[in-house]
Every structure is written in C-alpha cells, then in structure tokens.
DNA sequence: AGCAATAAATGAACACCGTTCACAGAACGG
DNA sequence: CCGTTCTGTGAACGGTGTTCATTTATTGCT
C-alpha cells in the first residue's frame, strides 16, 4: 500500500518546504518579519493551511531554532576535532564568532529571542543538543587542565561556562549594540582565549613542540 | 505669563506619567506586551493622544531604553567609586549582574532588543551614556595595569571590552537560555574577574601598598 | 462677555497580525 | 458508486500600530 506512504511523504515535504521558506524569511528580514500570512502567501497556501502542519507560529520558530543550533554545531565540528586543546580552543572561538556574525538573525533566534524557543535545546539534560555541545567545550578545558594550561583552582566546567558566556557576549553585543565600536570580534575572541589560558610552563619539558 | 508655563509643565507631566506607566508594563509583562492601546487604556486617554507626546511606539521604547541604562549606571556608581581597582572590579561585576538578573525586562530592552533602541546610547561618541560608562570600565583596567595586575601585552581597552562582553554574556545567557544551569551568575562573575587578573607579584617590591 | 484662534483630545478608519472553525473539495477504501 | 477521511480554505474574531478629519476645550483679544 504505497499510496498512503506517498501522501505521508508529500506531507513531510510540504512541511519541509514551509520551514525552508520560513528560514529564508527569517534570515532575510529577521524573526519579527516572519508572519503566518506572508509565509502562507510565499508557499502559496491559505494561512489556515499552515496550522495543519504546525501548531502555531511558535512551533515554527522552535523548529527553526533547533535547526539553527544544529547549523552552529556543524560549523563547530571541524574545530572540535582538533587534537591540540589550545589550537582547538582558538578554532572553536573563531568558528563560533564567524557563525554569529554571518548569520545574525539565526543567532538571534537561537540565543536572544524568547527563552521558550531555546528551552527545547536544553531541557533534555542528557541527550539534548545544548548539553551535548556544552560537552565539547567542557572537554577542551579538561584537556587544557591536563596539559597544565588552565588557571589554578578553577574547575574546567566553570571555565567552559565563562568561555561560552564570553563568546556569546561578544557576538550579541556586536549584534545589538552596533555602537560597541571596539576591536573586531576576532580580536576580542583571541583576547578571551588568552585570558583563559595560563602561559605554558617555561622550563618544563617543551610540550613536545605544540604544532 | 505663567499660564503657558503651566500648560507646558502639565504636558511634560503627562509625558512623564505615560513613560512611568509604560515602564511598569514593560517590567511586569515584558516589552512585547507594551501595546499603545493598552498603554492608552492604562493612562485613560485615547490611543491617538499618545501620538501627541511620542512619535510612535519606538520613541517610547527608546526613551525607556536610555532611562533603563541610566538606572544601570546609577547601580554601578558606588562600585565605580571604590579606590582599589581589584575590589572595584569585583564590585562592578556584582552590581552589573545583580541589575541584569533583578530587572530582566529592563536589561532585555536595553541590550537585547532592537539595535535601533540602544543606538541612541552609543551614537554620541563623546558625550553619550554608553561611551561614558565604558570609560568607567576602561579606568579600572588602566588602574589595574598600573598596579601590574593585568595580563601582559593586552591593552586595557581590550580587556575592558572582553570584560563587558563577559558580563553581558553571563546575564543574557541566564535570561534567555534558562537551561544554562551551571554555576550561579555571581560565581561566574568572580571567575571572569579571576581570569582577567594576573596574580599579584609575590616577591617583587610590594607595589607600594596599593591603597 | 463674546468671538476668533489655538491647542488638546478623540472616534473612526486602514492595514496589518495570529488563530479558529464551519465548510467545500478531493482522494481514498470498501 | 458510496461513505469516509483527509486536505484545504474563506470568513471571521480580537488584537496590533498608526493616521486624520473632526470635535471639544482652552486661551488671548477686542
């Protein structure tokens, strides 16, 4: 009975199409400009039809939010795979800032709009995308601590939180307070990295030429 | 001719009254819940009357934004007056975080809503409230540098920016990503402070007892 | 006091918005 | 072919910001 499968597939495709168009609208005109009526117009359906696929506007926003977060994760992935923790931290910083500045509306949607949107990312304490990505940050600082490159007496988890807050602060100040005309984000990011690292022990075994 | 003065005063008072009620609405129900019609209802005027005192809703928001920022400044002032730069930095951190967490909707309005709202704070490069308050942060790090408590080779201005970004990151993550269930904000703040400070030189001349 | 001019206030309207629901049409299973 | 189920919609409800002609109140002047 392939007929009902086809209908299911078509329904899923339409749902996907709606989300795709919605994403375009958000990225081009911002989240506030995403209206059910304009979205319906863009996908050439009546407004009421959207409610057959999504409970309401917030449901669409939530979906865009988790997908945006997955995009962010994808961007961080190569950096997270770097072996040397110092280099890794630097690359993560670079990638995070680049994502936030290149996709401002997506970043806003994920981290700066309604708390209820990002709630989905963090409620699953075990398996959620939020905690899972935090684990990436945590690992960097654990590795750094093992390498003796971490400030004394500060647990890696807390360093990771401060690090994330710092990155988020840099991005969101750049996005909101455009008059924050200090150094470019990359410079601030590298400064942040520098303050979180303890300089390598000078006379100890030379860390095997960190490359 | 005191009569026209009285009218002017009454007009200013009404304007003030409108702003006061609007502030209450924002603090109680959030910025999105501030509607011209409900505001008009609350001050017992017709909606159109509001437009005799403000160009539009954004004008009200801008005004609330600069006033909120002044509240923040007032909260920071005692901390900024502390002589010892290390203590000062700590107190500034404490005050900033407390303001952000106790007045979340005000903080959102200032730093997390439309960039056009906060634009007014930073456009006046000389005299604006934004640059003026940044000067406070700058001075801390200049004093810290003079006391040798600053990481090497990083200009105070950049440290100040990273510091602010860190504070803002902590507050805004707490406000938006409630699932960010790490350490409490005060702990993160003190960690941030710790990472920005270089430990005092142990054996060097005791820095002339920095008082 | 009465009148003209100025200022303050408003009701009604316009164009949007999210959302709901009774209804129509098509596609399906028997 | 018929009944059912699913897809889609038009119209409406209550809400939003904003505008503008019109009314109402107040003032200054004769």
């Amino acid at each position: 009975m392939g007929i009902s499968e086809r209908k299911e597939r078509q329904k899923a495709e339409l749902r996907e199409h709606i989300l795709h168009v919605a994403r375009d609208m958000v990225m081009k005109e911002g989240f506030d400009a995403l209206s059910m009526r304009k979205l319906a117009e863009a996908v050439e359906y009546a407004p009421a039809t959207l409610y057959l696929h999504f409970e309401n506007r917030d449901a669409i926003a939530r979906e865009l939010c988790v997908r945006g977060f997955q995009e962010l994760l994808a961007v961080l992935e190569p950096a997270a795979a770097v072996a040397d923790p110092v280099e890794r931290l630097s690359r993560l910083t670079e990638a995070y800032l680049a994502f936030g500045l290149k996709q401002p509306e997506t970043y806003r949607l994920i981290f700066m709009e309604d708390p209820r949107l990002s709630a989905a990312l963090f409620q699953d304490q075990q398996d959620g995308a939020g905690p899972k990505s935090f684990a990436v940050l945590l690992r960097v600082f654990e590795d750094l601590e093992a390498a003796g490159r971490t400030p004394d007496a500060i647990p890696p988890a807390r360093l990771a939180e401060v690090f994330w807050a710092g990155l988020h602060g840099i991005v969101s100040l750049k996005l909101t307070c455009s008059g924050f005309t200090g150094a470019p984000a990359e410079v601030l990011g590298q400064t942040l990295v520098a303050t979180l690292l303890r300089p390598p022990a000078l006379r100890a075994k030379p860390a095997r030429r960190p490359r």
Side-chain angles (χ1 to χ4, degrees), chain A residues 34-98:
Chain A
L34 174 67
S35 94
M36 295 299 270
R37 297 180 120 105
K38 283 196 295 185
L39 179 55
E41 171 102 12
V43 296
E44 297 177 290
Y45 279 92
T49 305
L50 299 179
Y51 291 83
L52 299 180
H53 300 269
F54 300 93
E55 190 195 342
N56 50 30
R57 182 175 180 268
D58 272 15
I60 299 181
R62 275 195 301 271
E63 187 92 34
L64 292 180
C65 187
V66 323
R67 295 189 177 210
F69 192 82
Q70 282 163 355
E71 280 182 61
L72 171 58
L73 279 191
V75 164
L76 294 184
E77 203 169 335
V82 171
D84 174 36
V86 175
E87 170 78 5
R88 197 194 314 161
L89 187 67
S90 181
R91 293 272 303 275
L92 281 170
T93 301
E94 208 176 341
Y96 190 101
L97 297 179

Side-chain angles (χ1 to χ4, degrees), chain A residues 2-162:
Chain A
I3 184 116
S4 67
E5 289 175 6
R6 190 209 62 196
K7 293 192 74 173
E8 231 176 279
R9 196 181 59 230
Q10 283 179 341
K11 185 162 179 174
E13 274 169 10
L14 177 51
R15 199 187 133 96
E16 216 59 29
H17 180 54
I18 293 173
L19 281 172
H20 183 83
V21 173
R23 197 186 94 113
D24 283 356
M25 291 180 66
V26 167
M27 293 205 314
K28 214 171 50 171
E29 311 174 67
F31 176 59
D32 289 342
L34 174 67
S35 94
M36 295 299 270
R37 297 180 120 105
K38 283 196 295 185
L39 179 55
E41 171 102 12
V43 296
E44 297 177 290
Y45 279 92
T49 305
L50 299 179
Y51 291 83
L52 299 180
H53 300 269
F54 300 93
E55 190 195 342
N56 50 30
R57 182 175 180 268
D58 272 15
I60 299 181
R62 275 195 301 271
E63 187 92 34
L64 292 180
C65 187
V66 323
R67 295 189 177 210
F69 192 82
Q70 282 163 355
E71 280 182 61
L72 171 58
L73 279 191
V75 164
L76 294 184
E77 203 169 335
V82 171
D84 174 36
V86 175
E87 170 78 5
R88 197 194 314 161
L89 187 67
S90 181
R91 293 272 303 275
L92 281 170
T93 301
E94 208 176 341
Y96 190 101
L97 297 179
F99 178 85
L101 298 183
K102 277 186 200 154
Q103 308 226 22
E105 296 302 341
T106 303
Y107 191 88
R108 280 194 91 92
L109 183 61
I110 303 177
F111 290 124
M112 301 169 68
E113 295 285 345
D114 200 311
R116 288 171 300 147
L117 298 185
S118 49
L121 300 174
F122 293 91
Q123 60 192 11
D124 248 336
Q125 208 60 30
Q126 303 290 16
D127 208 42
K132 203 181 291 185
S133 69
F134 183 75
V136 171
L137 297 188
L138 182 56
R139 198 162 347 115
V140 190
F141 286 96
E142 284 171 346
D143 291 355
L144 286 170
E145 187 183 45
R149 294 298 306 274
T150 240
D152 285 331
I154 304 180
R158 203 178 309 150
L159 287 175
E161 286 187 47
V162 171

